[in-house]
Amino acid sequence: MEEKFNRLLFVPIAAVLFLMIGYQYVCPADSNTCYFRGDDKGLFQRYSSGFDFVYPDEADEDLTSKITTKFNFTERDLDRHADFDIRGDDVMVFLHIQKTGGTTFGRHLVKNIQLEQPCDCMPGQRKCTCHRPGKAESWLFSRFSTGWSCGLHADWTELTSCVPVVMNKRDKKNTQKSKRNFYYITMLRDPVSRYLSEWKHVQRGATWKTALHMCDGRPATQDELPACYSGDDWTGVPLTDFMNCPSNLANNRQVRMLADLSLVGCYNMSSMSELERGHVLLASAKANLRNMAFYGLTEFQRKTQYLFERTFGLRFIRAFTQINSTRAASIGISEKVRWRIEGLNALDVELYEYAKELFLRRYQYQRQQQHQEERLRRRQQRQHRQRLHRTYWAQLLRLGAEEEDQNEVVNTLEEVATTEDYSSQVVRW
């Protein structure tokens, strides 16, 4: 009786121990994969595995209601995933637009990504060596890796015609034999803030004189791009003078640098009317931006980091920092001046409105995708635990049945032995 009671007690104790061991196996102490909160708030305030990072800044909680719906985007526009092969021939090309936070983002690319073979950045040198694992070839085309190989702040028109040639020369490969995939990325910024930032930069002496402005195989002429100032630079220029120069490339710079200038006769302003030229440039800039592998917004650093990681399957070591205390932010301007700047940058204003909605919708889409991945992962974990439980209980039942059979054999042998012993005593008697 006591042995039967021990056997009955053994089964629940073993089950409890198994559940504890199984929980520790599936949900280790230092893991966030198991989650027992009663609501879904905070579902994206953690990470589980892989590259699924979400950063709880910039008021993400009610993102859907805050996105103004003005443009019709397809699922193909929202679902951005780049099969970037860092070991193969793929090249990431960073289109660096002035005063959009590109310098900071460029440093993230060479110093802050977790790579099997990190970029080699020597102290005191501006450029880093970003080689593929096991190859003396660069996977990144940017200011901080390959320098200004296609000209200072080369635009989309310059880069798309120049980068393939430069990369093949650097890696000594034949263009016909080596078909590369080029993944273009860039950063955009609120047009008014960007314009003011460029003005302050020019006011301190910046010129970008060495920019090539190549288009259709030739640089822009002085007649096509007349200088806004006489002398070496425009140091100390007042904002009014900065705005009054009609050939100032700061006006609608983001649209010009993202559009295919060949469509409008490059820098020849007489090839079509100003209105038609603006429509063509804006449409081209939108299309190129939409089809780029990735772009980020200076005003949304953490979302930019998250989307980059989700797009390329790469992780940054340190989180991006949102810095709002820029020189442009500290400039006080009147509403009249703001309207004037917006008028001078009307194309950039419309492009940024388009880019911002697409960016936030991509972010929303990726969060929904991550939510589905989390639910699928939890369901798979539950199914895995259930399979373990079923296997364990089957083993317990089998062991229990074998033990009962063994006990029956032992009891039978004891009964036989007892009978034989009794019979022998009867014979003696």
Side-chain angles (χ1 to χ4, degrees):
M1 183 70 179
E2 184 177 354
E3 290 180 359
K4 186 175 182 181
F5 176 76
N6 290 337
R7 287 198 303 274
L8 293 175
L9 187 63
F10 166 76
V11 173
I13 292 176
V16 171
L17 290 174
F18 173 78
L19 290 174
M20 292 175 65
I21 295 172
Y23 177 81
Q24 291 297 322
Y25 171 74
V26 177
C27 306
D30 60 346
S31 171
N32 293 319
T33 55
C34 295
Y35 180 65
F36 296 103
R37 291 180 58 171
D39 55 17
D40 283 340
K41 184 179 180 180
L43 178 63
F44 299 102
Q45 309 299 320
R46 59 185 172 81
Y47 62 89
S48 57
S49 63
F51 309 112
D52 299 337
F53 282 84
V54 178
Y55 305 94
D57 70 333
E58 300 143 356
D60 292 339
E61 288 77 8
D62 194 21
L63 184 61
T64 306
S65 62
K66 293 182 179 180
I67 302 177
T68 57
T69 304
K70 184 177 179 180
F71 306 99
N72 294 322
F73 297 114
T74 65
E75 184 174 357
R76 182 179 179 182
D77 297 331
L78 304 181
D79 188 8
R80 307 303 292 170
H81 176 73
D83 295 321
F84 184 70
D85 184 8
I86 196 171
R87 289 179 167 275
D89 291 324
D90 294 351
V91 178
M92 190 181 299
V93 183
F94 181 36
L95 194 163
H96 186 172
I97 303 174
Q98 290 95 317
K99 314 313 294 179
T100 58
T103 298
T104 299
F105 186 77
R107 290 197 180 103
H108 281 306
L109 292 176
V110 297
K111 295 183 177 181
N112 193 24
I113 299 182
Q114 292 185 7
L115 296 171
E116 179 182 345
Q117 182 174 331
C119 295
D120 185 13
C121 301
M122 301 296 292
Q125 295 184 2
R126 292 187 177 182
K127 291 195 298 183
C128 303
T129 301
C130 297
H131 282 166
R132 307 180 191 278
K135 296 181 181 179
E137 299 177 1
S138 180
W139 59 269
L140 175 65
F141 188 99
S142 76
R143 167 189 177 183
F144 293 116
S145 58
T146 54
W148 301 112
S149 302
C150 291
L152 180 63
H153 286 287
D155 54 38
W156 189 89
T157 307
E158 293 175 293
L159 288 176
T160 51
S161 62
C162 168
V163 171
V165 178
V166 170
M167 293 304 296
N168 282 318
K169 285 182 178 179
R170 286 176 60 91
D171 299 337
K172 298 179 181 179
K173 289 195 174 184
N174 190 313
T175 307
Q176 300 297 326
K177 295 181 179 179
S178 176
K179 294 183 179 180
R180 298 178 184 272
N181 293 317
F182 294 98
Y183 296 87
Y184 286 83
I185 64 175
T186 193
M187 290 288 293
L188 296 183
R189 186 179 181 183
D190 169 74
V192 175
S193 297
R194 199 214 65 79
Y195 189 84
L196 290 172
S197 182
E198 180 166 343
W199 163 59
K200 296 300 289 185
H201 199 54
V202 169
Q203 193 181 56
R204 295 190 300 271
T207 63
W208 299 299
K209 281 183 178 180
T210 57
L212 300 176
H213 303 301
M214 293 289 294
C215 180
D216 286 348
R218 68 172 183 87
T221 66
Q222 189 173 358
D223 291 336
E224 291 173 333
L225 289 179
C228 288
Y229 55 90
S230 58
D232 294 333
D233 55 41
W234 213 2
T235 301
V237 57
L239 180 58
T240 303
D241 293 349
F242 190 77
M243 292 188 295
N244 286 339
C245 178
S247 61
N248 191 348
L249 289 178
N251 301 337
N252 293 312
R253 183 180 288 277
Q254 295 181 102
V255 165
R256 179 181 60 80
M257 292 190 68
L258 290 174
D260 182 358
L261 299 180
S262 300
L263 300 175
V264 294
C266 298
Y267 293 94
N268 181 7
M269 302 299 174
S270 62
S271 61
M272 62 182 65
S273 68
E274 183 178 356
L275 182 61
E276 184 182 1
R277 180 183 179 88
H279 282 315
V280 174
L281 286 176
L282 180 59
S284 177
K286 285 181 178 179
N288 289 337
L289 185 71
R290 183 176 63 250
N291 294 323
M292 275 186 172
F294 165 82
Y295 72 89
L297 299 183
T298 307
E299 290 76 17
F300 300 95
Q301 290 292 315
R302 297 294 183 88
K303 290 182 176 67
T304 295
Q305 177 177 358
Y306 171 73
L307 284 178
F308 181 92
E309 291 177 338
R310 293 280 296 184
T311 300
F312 287 100
L314 298 171
R315 278 174 52 183
F316 289 100
I317 301 169
R318 297 175 302 278
F320 286 16
T321 303
Q322 187 69 50
I323 302 176
N324 295 318
S325 57
T326 60
R327 290 187 178 92
S330 63
I331 300 173
I333 58 174
S334 64
E335 283 299 312
K336 185 178 180 180
V337 172
R338 175 175 289 276
W339 293 338
R340 175 84 188 281
I341 294 174
E342 289 177 348
L344 291 171
N345 294 273
L347 299 180
D348 271 12
V349 170
E350 188 167 346
L351 175 67
Y352 187 78
E353 185 180 6
Y354 177 89
K356 184 177 179 180
E357 181 177 331
L358 178 57
F359 176 86
L360 293 178
R361 291 211 171 277
R362 283 180 176 177
Y363 179 79
Q364 179 190 44
Y365 182 86
Q366 287 297 331
R367 287 191 59 170
Q368 292 173 347
Q369 290 291 105
Q370 186 187 28
H371 193 177
Q372 295 175 1
E373 292 167 6
E374 290 285 344
R375 286 188 296 183
L376 177 61
R377 187 179 295 113
R378 290 197 298 271
R379 182 163 62 248
Q380 291 174 344
Q381 289 174 349
R382 286 196 301 269
Q383 293 173 351
H384 178 66
R385 288 195 296 269
Q386 290 171 358
R387 285 195 297 269
L388 289 176
H389 294 164
R390 286 195 295 268
T391 302
Y392 177 76
W393 281 111
Q395 292 176 348
L396 277 182
L397 292 174
R398 186 174 67 254
L399 291 173
E402 291 176 356
E403 187 176 352
E404 288 181 1
D405 292 341
Q406 292 175 0
N407 291 333
E408 288 180 3
V409 172
V410 171
N411 292 336
T412 302
L413 291 175
E414 289 178 351
E415 291 177 0
V416 171
T418 302
T419 303
E420 290 179 351
D421 184 67
Y422 177 76
S423 302
S424 63
Q425 293 297 328
V426 170
V427 171
R428 290 193 187 97
W429 293 338

